[in-house]
Coordinates of all heavy atoms in Angstrom, one line a residue:
K25 N -7.4 12.6 -12.8 CA -7.3 11.2 -12.4 C -7.0 10.2 -13.5 O -6.2 9.3 -13.3 CB -8.6 10.8 -11.6 CG -8.5 9.4 -11.0 CD -9.8 9.1 -10.3 CE -9.7 7.7 -9.7 NZ -11.0 7.4 -8.9
R26 N -7.6 10.4 -14.7 CA -7.4 9.5 -15.8 C -6.0 9.4 -16.2 O -5.6 8.3 -16.7 CB -8.3 10.0 -16.9 CG -8.2 9.2 -18.2 CD -9.0 9.8 -19.3 NE -8.8 9.1 -20.6 CZ -9.3 9.5 -21.7 NH1 -9.9 10.7 -21.8 NH2 -9.0 8.8 -22.8
H27 N -5.2 10.4 -16.0 CA -3.9 10.4 -16.6 C -2.8 10.2 -15.5 O -1.6 10.5 -15.7 CB -3.6 11.7 -17.3 CG -4.5 11.9 -18.5 ND1 -4.4 11.0 -19.6 CD2 -5.5 12.7 -18.8 CE1 -5.3 11.4 -20.5 NE2 -6.0 12.4 -20.0
V28 N -3.2 9.7 -14.4 CA -2.2 9.2 -13.4 C -2.4 7.7 -13.2 O -3.4 7.3 -12.7 CB -2.5 9.9 -12.0 CG1 -1.5 9.4 -11.0 CG2 -2.3 11.4 -12.1
L29 N -1.5 7.0 -13.8 CA -1.6 5.5 -13.8 C -0.8 4.9 -12.7 O 0.3 5.2 -12.5 CB -1.1 5.0 -15.1 CG -1.6 5.7 -16.4 CD1 -1.0 5.0 -17.6 CD2 -3.1 5.6 -16.5
T30 N -1.5 4.0 -11.9 CA -0.8 3.3 -10.8 C -0.8 1.8 -10.9 O 0.0 1.1 -10.3 CB -1.4 3.8 -9.5 OG1 -2.8 3.5 -9.4 CG2 -1.1 5.3 -9.3
A31 N -1.8 1.3 -11.5 CA -2.0 -0.2 -11.6 C -0.8 -0.8 -12.4 O -0.4 -0.2 -13.4 CB -3.3 -0.6 -12.2
S32 N -0.3 -1.9 -11.9 CA 0.8 -2.6 -12.6 C 0.6 -2.8 -14.1 O 1.5 -2.5 -14.9 CB 1.2 -3.9 -11.9 OG 2.3 -4.5 -12.5
R33 N -0.6 -3.3 -14.4 CA -0.9 -3.6 -15.8 C -0.9 -2.3 -16.7 O -0.4 -2.2 -17.8 CB -2.2 -4.3 -16.0 CG -2.5 -4.7 -17.4 CD -3.7 -5.6 -17.5 NE -3.4 -6.9 -16.9 CZ -4.3 -7.9 -16.9 NH1 -5.5 -7.8 -17.4 NH2 -4.0 -9.1 -16.3
A34 N -1.5 -1.2 -16.1 CA -1.6 0.0 -16.8 C -0.2 0.7 -17.0 O 0.0 1.4 -18.0 CB -2.5 1.0 -16.1
T35 N 0.7 0.5 -16.1 CA 2.0 1.2 -16.2 C 3.0 0.3 -16.9 O 4.1 0.8 -17.2 CB 2.5 1.6 -14.8 OG1 2.7 0.4 -14.0 CG2 1.5 2.5 -14.1
A36 N 2.7 -0.9 -17.2 CA 3.8 -1.9 -17.7 C 4.5 -1.4 -18.9 O 5.7 -1.4 -19.1 CB 3.2 -3.2 -17.9
R37 N 3.7 -0.8 -19.9 CA 4.3 -0.5 -21.2 C 5.2 0.8 -21.0 O 6.0 1.1 -21.9 CB 3.2 -0.3 -22.2 CG 2.3 0.9 -22.0 CD 1.2 0.9 -23.1 NE 0.2 1.9 -22.9 CZ 0.2 3.1 -23.6 NH1 1.2 3.3 -24.5 NH2 -0.7 4.0 -23.4
F38 N 5.0 1.5 -19.9 CA 5.9 2.7 -19.7 C 7.1 2.3 -18.8 O 8.2 2.9 -18.9 CB 5.1 3.8 -18.9 CG 3.9 4.3 -19.7 CD1 2.7 3.7 -19.4 CD2 4.0 5.3 -20.6 CE1 1.5 4.1 -20.1 CE2 2.9 5.8 -21.2 CZ 1.6 5.2 -21.0
R39 N 7.0 1.2 -18.0 CA 8.1 0.8 -17.1 C 9.1 -0.1 -17.8 O 10.2 -0.3 -17.3 CB 7.5 0.1 -15.9 CG 6.6 1.0 -15.0 CD 6.2 0.3 -13.7 NE 5.2 -0.7 -14.0 CZ 5.4 -2.0 -14.0 NH1 6.7 -2.5 -13.8 NH2 4.5 -2.9 -14.2
K40 N 8.7 -0.8 -18.9 CA 9.5 -1.8 -19.5 C 10.1 -1.2 -20.8 O 9.3 -0.7 -21.7 CB 8.8 -3.1 -19.8 CG 9.6 -4.2 -20.4 CD 8.8 -5.5 -20.5 CE 9.7 -6.6 -21.1 NZ 10.9 -6.9 -20.3
G41 N 11.4 -1.2 -21.0 CA 12.0 -0.6 -22.1 C 11.8 -1.4 -23.4 O 11.5 -2.6 -23.4
Y42 N 12.0 -0.8 -24.5 CA 11.8 -1.4 -25.8 C 12.7 -2.6 -26.0 O 12.3 -3.6 -26.5 CB 12.0 -0.4 -26.9 CG 12.0 -0.9 -28.3 CD1 10.9 -1.5 -28.9 CD2 13.2 -0.9 -29.1 CE1 10.9 -2.0 -30.2 CE2 13.1 -1.4 -30.4 CZ 12.0 -1.9 -30.9 OH 12.0 -2.4 -32.2
R43 N 14.0 -2.4 -25.5 CA 14.9 -3.5 -25.6 C 15.4 -4.0 -24.3 O 15.6 -5.2 -24.1 CB 16.2 -3.0 -26.4 CG 16.2 -3.4 -27.9 CD 17.6 -3.3 -28.4 NE 17.6 -3.7 -29.8 CZ 18.7 -3.5 -30.6 NH1 19.8 -3.0 -30.1 NH2 18.7 -3.9 -31.8
T44 N 15.5 -3.0 -23.3 CA 16.0 -3.4 -22.0 C 15.5 -2.5 -21.0 O 15.0 -1.4 -21.3 CB 17.6 -3.3 -22.0 OG1 18.1 -3.8 -20.8 CG2 18.1 -1.9 -22.3
G45 N 15.5 -2.9 -19.7 CA 15.1 -2.0 -18.6 C 13.7 -2.4 -18.1 O 12.8 -2.6 -18.9
D46 N 13.6 -2.4 -16.8 CA 12.3 -2.6 -16.1 C 12.4 -2.3 -14.7 O 13.5 -2.3 -14.1 CB 11.9 -4.1 -16.3 CG 10.4 -4.4 -16.1 OD1 9.7 -3.4 -15.8 OD2 10.0 -5.5 -16.2
G47 N 11.2 -2.0 -14.0 CA 11.2 -1.7 -12.6 C 9.9 -1.1 -12.2 O 9.1 -0.7 -13.0
P48 N 9.7 -1.0 -10.9 CA 8.4 -0.4 -10.4 C 8.4 1.1 -10.4 O 9.4 1.7 -10.6 CB 8.4 -0.9 -8.9 CG 9.8 -1.0 -8.6 CD 10.6 -1.5 -9.8
A49 N 7.2 1.6 -10.3 CA 7.0 3.1 -10.2 C 5.8 3.4 -9.4 O 4.9 2.7 -9.3 CB 6.8 3.7 -11.6
I50 N 5.9 4.5 -8.6 CA 4.8 5.0 -7.9 C 3.6 5.3 -8.8 O 2.5 4.9 -8.5 CB 5.1 6.2 -7.0 CG1 6.3 5.9 -6.1 CG2 3.9 6.8 -6.3 CD1 6.8 7.2 -5.4
A51 N 4.0 5.9 -9.9 CA 2.9 6.3 -10.9 C 3.6 6.6 -12.2 O 4.8 7.0 -12.3 CB 2.1 7.5 -10.4
V52 N 2.8 6.5 -13.3 CA 3.1 7.1 -14.6 C 2.1 8.2 -14.8 O 0.9 8.1 -14.7 CB 2.9 6.1 -15.7 CG1 3.1 6.7 -17.1 CG2 4.0 4.9 -15.5
V53 N 2.6 9.4 -15.1 CA 1.8 10.6 -15.2 C 1.9 11.1 -16.7 O 3.0 11.2 -17.3 CB 2.2 11.8 -14.3 CG1 1.2 12.9 -14.3 CG2 2.4 11.2 -12.9
R54 N 0.7 11.5 -17.3 CA 0.6 11.8 -18.7 C 0.0 13.2 -18.8 O -1.2 13.4 -19.1 CB -0.2 10.8 -19.4 CG 0.3 9.4 -19.3 CD -0.5 8.4 -20.1 NE -0.4 8.6 -21.5 CZ -1.5 8.9 -22.3 NH1 -2.7 9.0 -21.7 NH2 -1.4 9.1 -23.6
P55 N 0.8 14.3 -18.6 CA 0.3 15.6 -18.7 C -0.1 15.9 -20.1 O 0.4 15.4 -21.1 CB 1.5 16.5 -18.3 CG 2.7 15.7 -18.5 CD 2.3 14.3 -18.2
G56 N -1.1 16.8 -20.3 CA -1.7 17.2 -21.6 C -1.3 18.6 -22.0 O -1.8 19.0 -23.1
S57 N -0.6 19.3 -21.2 CA -0.1 20.6 -21.6 C 1.2 20.9 -20.9 O 1.6 20.2 -19.9 CB -1.1 21.7 -21.2 OG -1.2 21.8 -19.8
L58 N 1.9 21.9 -21.4 CA 3.2 22.2 -20.7 C 3.0 22.8 -19.3 O 3.8 22.5 -18.4 CB 4.0 23.2 -21.6 CG 4.4 22.8 -22.9 CD1 5.3 23.9 -23.6 CD2 5.2 21.5 -22.8
V59 N 1.8 23.5 -19.1 CA 1.5 23.9 -17.8 C 1.3 22.7 -16.8 O 1.8 22.7 -15.7 CB 0.2 24.8 -17.8 CG1 -0.2 25.1 -16.4 CG2 0.6 26.1 -18.5
E60 N 0.6 21.7 -17.3 CA 0.4 20.5 -16.5 C 1.7 19.8 -16.3 O 1.9 19.2 -15.2 CB -0.6 19.5 -17.3 CG -2.0 20.0 -17.2 CD -3.0 19.0 -17.8 OE1 -2.5 17.9 -18.2 OE2 -4.2 19.3 -17.9
L61 N 2.6 19.8 -17.3 CA 3.9 19.2 -17.1 C 4.7 19.9 -16.0 O 5.3 19.3 -15.1 CB 4.7 19.2 -18.4 CG 6.2 18.8 -18.3 CD1 6.3 17.4 -17.7 CD2 6.8 18.8 -19.7
W62 N 4.6 21.3 -15.9 CA 5.3 22.1 -14.9 C 4.7 21.7 -13.5 O 5.5 21.5 -12.6 CB 5.1 23.5 -15.2 CG 5.6 24.4 -14.1 CD1 4.8 25.1 -13.2 CD2 6.9 24.8 -13.8 NE1 5.6 25.8 -12.3 CE2 6.9 25.6 -12.6 CE3 8.1 24.4 -14.3 CZ2 8.0 26.1 -12.0 CZ3 9.3 24.9 -13.7 CH2 9.2 25.8 -12.6
R63 N 3.4 21.6 -13.4 CA 2.8 21.3 -12.1 C 3.1 19.9 -11.7 O 3.3 19.6 -10.5 CB 1.3 21.5 -12.2 CG 0.8 22.9 -12.4 CD -0.7 23.1 -12.7 NE -1.0 24.5 -12.9 CZ -2.2 24.9 -13.4 NH1 -3.2 24.0 -13.7 NH2 -2.5 26.2 -13.5
T64 N 3.2 19.0 -12.7 CA 3.6 17.6 -12.3 C 5.0 17.5 -11.8 O 5.3 16.9 -10.8 CB 3.4 16.7 -13.6 OG1 2.1 16.7 -14.0 CG2 3.9 15.3 -13.3
A65 N 5.9 18.2 -12.6 CA 7.3 18.2 -12.1 C 7.5 18.9 -10.8 O 8.3 18.4 -10.0 CB 8.1 18.9 -13.2
S66 N 6.8 20.0 -10.6 CA 6.9 20.7 -9.3 C 6.4 19.8 -8.1 O 7.1 19.8 -7.1 CB 6.0 22.0 -9.4 OG 6.5 22.8 -10.4
A67 N 5.3 19.0 -8.3 CA 4.9 18.2 -7.3 C 5.9 17.1 -7.0 O 6.2 16.7 -5.8 CB 3.5 17.5 -7.6
C68 N 6.5 16.5 -8.0 CA 7.5 15.4 -7.8 C 8.8 16.0 -7.2 O 9.3 15.3 -6.3 CB 7.8 14.8 -9.2 SG 6.5 13.9 -9.9
V69 N 9.2 17.1 -7.6 CA 10.4 17.7 -7.0 C 10.2 18.0 -5.5 O 11.0 17.7 -4.7 CB 10.8 19.0 -7.8 CG1 11.9 19.7 -7.0 CG2 11.3 18.6 -9.2
A70 N 9.0 18.6 -5.2 CA 8.7 18.9 -3.8 C 8.6 17.7 -3.0 O 9.0 17.7 -1.8 CB 7.4 19.7 -3.8
A71 N 8.1 16.6 -3.5 CA 8.0 15.3 -2.8 C 9.4 14.6 -2.7 O 9.5 13.5 -2.1 CB 7.0 14.4 -3.4
D72 N 10.4 15.1 -3.4 CA 11.7 14.5 -3.5 C 11.7 13.0 -4.0 O 12.4 12.2 -3.5 CB 12.4 14.5 -2.1 CG 13.9 14.4 -2.2 OD1 14.5 14.8 -3.3 OD2 14.5 13.8 -1.3
V73 N 10.8 12.7 -5.0 CA 10.9 11.4 -5.6 C 11.8 11.5 -6.8 O 12.0 12.6 -7.4 CB 9.5 10.9 -6.0 CG1 8.6 10.7 -4.8 CG2 8.8 11.9 -7.0
S74 N 12.3 10.4 -7.2 CA 13.1 10.4 -8.5 C 12.2 10.5 -9.7 O 11.0 10.0 -9.6 CB 13.9 9.1 -8.5 OG 14.8 9.0 -7.4
I75 N 12.7 11.1 -10.7 CA 11.8 11.4 -11.9 C 12.5 10.8 -13.2 O 13.7 11.1 -13.4 CB 11.6 12.9 -12.1 CG1 10.9 13.5 -10.8 CG2 10.8 13.2 -13.3 CD1 11.0 15.0 -10.8
I76 N 11.8 10.1 -14.0 CA 12.2 9.8 -15.3 C 11.3 10.4 -16.3 O 10.1 10.2 -16.3 CB 12.3 8.3 -15.5 CG1 13.4 7.6 -14.7 CG2 12.5 7.9 -17.0 CD1 13.5 6.1 -14.9
M77 N 11.9 11.2 -17.2 CA 11.1 11.8 -18.4 C 11.1 10.8 -19.5 O 12.2 10.2 -19.8 CB 11.7 13.1 -18.8 CG 11.7 14.2 -17.7 SD 10.1 14.7 -17.3 CE 9.5 15.4 -18.8
Q78 N 10.0 10.5 -20.1 CA 9.9 9.5 -21.2 C 9.0 10.1 -22.3 O 8.0 10.7 -22.1 CB 9.2 8.3 -20.6 CG 9.1 7.1 -21.6 CD 8.4 5.9 -21.1 OE1 7.2 5.8 -21.3 NE2 9.1 5.1 -20.3
A79 N 9.5 9.9 -23.6 CA 8.7 10.2 -24.7 C 8.0 9.0 -25.3 O 7.1 8.4 -24.7 CB 9.5 10.9 -25.8
S80 N 8.5 8.4 -26.4 CA 7.9 7.3 -27.1 C 8.3 6.0 -26.6 O 7.8 4.9 -27.0 CB 8.1 7.4 -28.6 OG 7.6 8.6 -29.1
N81 N 9.3 5.9 -25.7 CA 9.8 4.7 -25.2 C 10.3 3.8 -26.3 O 10.0 2.6 -26.4 CB 8.8 3.9 -24.3 CG 9.5 2.8 -23.5 OD1 10.7 2.6 -23.5 ND2 8.6 1.9 -22.9
T82 N 11.1 4.4 -27.2 CA 11.7 3.6 -28.3 C 13.2 3.5 -28.2 O 13.9 3.0 -29.1 CB 11.3 4.2 -29.7 OG1 11.8 5.6 -29.7 CG2 9.8 4.2 -29.9
G83 N 13.7 3.9 -27.0 CA 15.2 3.9 -26.9 C 15.7 2.5 -26.8 O 15.0 1.6 -26.4
L84 N 17.0 2.4 -27.2 CA 17.6 1.0 -27.3 C 18.5 0.7 -26.1 O 19.1 -0.4 -26.0 CB 18.4 0.9 -28.6 CG 17.6 1.1 -29.8 CD1 18.4 1.0 -31.1 CD2 16.4 0.2 -29.9
T85 N 18.7 1.7 -25.2 CA 19.7 1.4 -24.1 C 19.0 1.6 -22.7 O 19.7 1.6 -21.7 CB 20.9 2.4 -24.1 OG1 20.4 3.7 -24.1 CG2 21.7 2.1 -25.4
G86 N 17.7 1.7 -22.7 CA 16.9 1.7 -21.4 C 17.0 3.0 -20.6 O 16.8 3.0 -19.4
G87 N 17.4 4.1 -21.3 CA 17.6 5.4 -20.6 C 16.4 6.1 -20.2 O 16.4 7.1 -19.4

Side-chain angles (χ1 to χ4, degrees):
K25 182 177 180 180
R26 177 185 174 190
H27 297 295
V28 179
L29 312 178
T30 57
S32 178
R33 181 173 295 182
T35 62
R37 67 188 178 97
F38 302 92
R39 294 186 291 103
K40 185 173 178 60
Y42 174 63
R43 264 197 180 174
T44 186
D46 198 357
I50 299 170
V52 173
V53 188
R54 304 179 65 240
S57 69
L58 296 184
V59 171
E60 288 186 2
L61 174 56
W62 171 257
R63 293 172 180 171
T64 297
S66 297
C68 291
V69 169
D72 199 31
V73 296
S74 298
I75 303 168
I76 289 180
M77 299 294 298
Q78 182 185 97
S80 300
N81 193 10
T82 58
L84 301 182
T85 60

